[in-house]
Amino acid sequence: MHLRILGFVAGVGIALGALLAVEWARAVPRTELLVFFERQGCVIGPATRGAARDAGFSDADIDALARRTRLVGRAETQRDWLVLAPEICTIRPPAIKATLHLGDPGLGAYFAAHFSGAGVVRPGCSLDLGATVLAAQKQFGWDRDRAMLEATRLVGAALVSGEMAFYSADPNIVPAGLWLMTGECAKLPAQAAIRQSHEFLMREFDSLVRFAGSVTVCEKGALTEPALIRAKAEKLWGGQGGNAWLFAELRWIAEAAGWYGDLLARDIGTPRPPFCHYE
C-alpha cells in the first residue's frame, strides 16, 4: 500500500512538472532571440546583450524577454547577469568566432605525429599549441596574449565541431595532446570512444555547464574542480567510462566562448555566468 501511495505521489509530481513546463513555454516562447541566447550560455548581461544587438535584436526585445522570465520565476540574477532557467532555455554549444581555422594553409605543420620507442610511429596527431601561438604572432603581428586567445578560439571551435579532442579514459593518464580527429589522423585505437565522448558532451552540454556554474565561484583565478565535473559526467553517463578529461574540453570551450574575462597568456582570468556564480 505504501508503495502504491509513493507511486501515486511521484506520478502527480511528474504530471505537475510537465504542466508547469508547458505553462512556462507559453509564457516564454522559444523565439529567435531566445534561440540566440541559447548559444550565449542562456545569460543576459553586458557581453551577451551587446552580441544580441550586433545580431540585429533590439534592447526593447531583450528587456521584454528578461521581464517575462522574471515574471514566471524562471531566471536568477547574478549581479550584472540574468541566468535563464533550464526549463525555458537550454544552453547549446556556443558558436565560437575564430580567426584561425584547421583548414588554414600551413597549420597542418603544427600537428605532430607521435612516436613510441626507436622510430616506431603510433597513430594520431596532436596540436603543438606553443608552436601555433608563435607562428600566429609572426604571421599576424599579434602579441602573445592575442595569439593565445586566437589559438584558444581555434581549439574551442574544433572541440565543439568534433574535429579535435582532448581524450583519455584514465584520469591518471594525461592525454598526449589535442588530438586531430579528421583524415588519417583520426584513425586512433580510441576513435569510436572519442566520437561517443563528443556526442555525450554535446548532448549534456547544458547539464555540465550549469553544474560547473553551481560549484565555481566567479572570482579571479577560479577553476572548476576536475573531480566534481568528472563525477557529474559519470553520473550522466551512467557509470564510469567516457572521457576522464572532459572537464578540460569544457574549460577550453568556455574560454573560447568568452565566458572568462581578463584571459591572458599567463593569467587564468575570471569566469562569469553561466560558468560560475557569485557569493
Side-chain angles (χ1 to χ4, degrees):
M1 180 63 71
H2 291 299
L3 290 176
R4 288 182 181 179
I5 293 173
L6 289 174
F8 173 76
V9 171
V12 170
I14 293 172
L16 180 59
L19 286 172
L20 287 173
V22 170
E23 289 303 313
W24 290 326
R26 287 175 179 170
V28 188
R30 193 166 181 259
T31 60
E32 287 187 20
L33 179 58
L34 185 56
V35 170
F36 175 84
F37 278 113
E38 288 178 346
R39 299 286 181 185
Q40 300 289 325
C42 287
V43 293
I44 300 175
T48 61
R49 180 181 283 271
R53 285 198 208 100
D54 292 342
F57 297 103
S58 68
D59 278 318
D61 288 339
I62 299 169
D63 291 338
L65 173 61
R67 186 166 55 252
R68 286 196 300 271
T69 58
R70 287 192 180 101
L71 284 173
V72 296
R74 295 293 91 196
E76 179 184 6
T77 299
Q78 290 281 332
R79 295 193 183 177
D80 294 334
W81 299 90
L82 186 67
V83 183
L84 309 184
E87 294 88 353
I88 60 169
C89 187
T90 300
I91 300 175
R92 313 285 181 185
I96 297 165
K97 294 181 179 179
T99 302
L100 304 175
H101 304 89
L102 291 180
D104 290 346
L107 188 60
Y110 302 107
F111 282 92
H114 287 272
F115 297 85
S116 178
V120 179
V121 181
R122 293 190 300 171
C125 313
S126 67
L127 180 66
D128 186 334
L129 194 59
T132 303
V133 170
L134 290 174
Q137 285 183 261
K138 183 177 180 180
Q139 180 176 349
F140 297 101
W142 295 334
D143 61 23
R144 184 167 177 78
D145 290 332
R146 173 68 188 279
M148 179 61 77
L149 175 61
E150 295 300 342
T152 297
R153 288 171 175 163
L154 162 72
V155 171
L159 290 172
V160 168
S161 69
E163 295 174 287
M164 290 180 68
F166 192 70
Y167 179 90
S168 172
D170 190 335
N172 298 312
I173 299 179
V174 180
L178 281 155
W179 298 108
L180 181 63
M181 296 303 298
T182 61
E184 290 296 313
C185 287
K187 295 180 179 179
L188 296 161
Q191 181 180 9
I194 292 173
R195 299 294 189 203
Q196 289 176 351
S197 174
H198 176 257
E199 290 172 3
F200 169 79
L201 176 58
M202 296 298 98
R203 184 174 64 251
E204 300 293 348
F205 196 76
D206 179 273
S207 297
L208 291 166
V209 169
R210 289 185 188 275
F211 177 77
S214 72
V215 298
T216 309
V217 178
C218 299
E219 59 186 17
K220 190 170 181 61
L223 289 172
T224 304
E225 176 58 45
L228 295 177
I229 296 294
R230 190 176 294 128
K232 177 65 174 179
E234 288 179 356
K235 184 177 180 181
L236 292 169
W237 187 274
Q240 290 188 341
N243 186 5
W245 294 80
L246 181 141
F247 70 89
E249 293 189 338
L250 198 65
R251 163 80 187 226
W252 249 308
I253 293 171
E255 291 180 353
W259 298 351
Y260 275 76
D262 308 318
L263 190 64
L264 303 174
R266 292 182 174 83
D267 195 325
I268 293 174
T270 306
R272 54 92 164 162
F275 215 60
C276 61
H277 66 277
Y278 292 99
E279 290 187 334

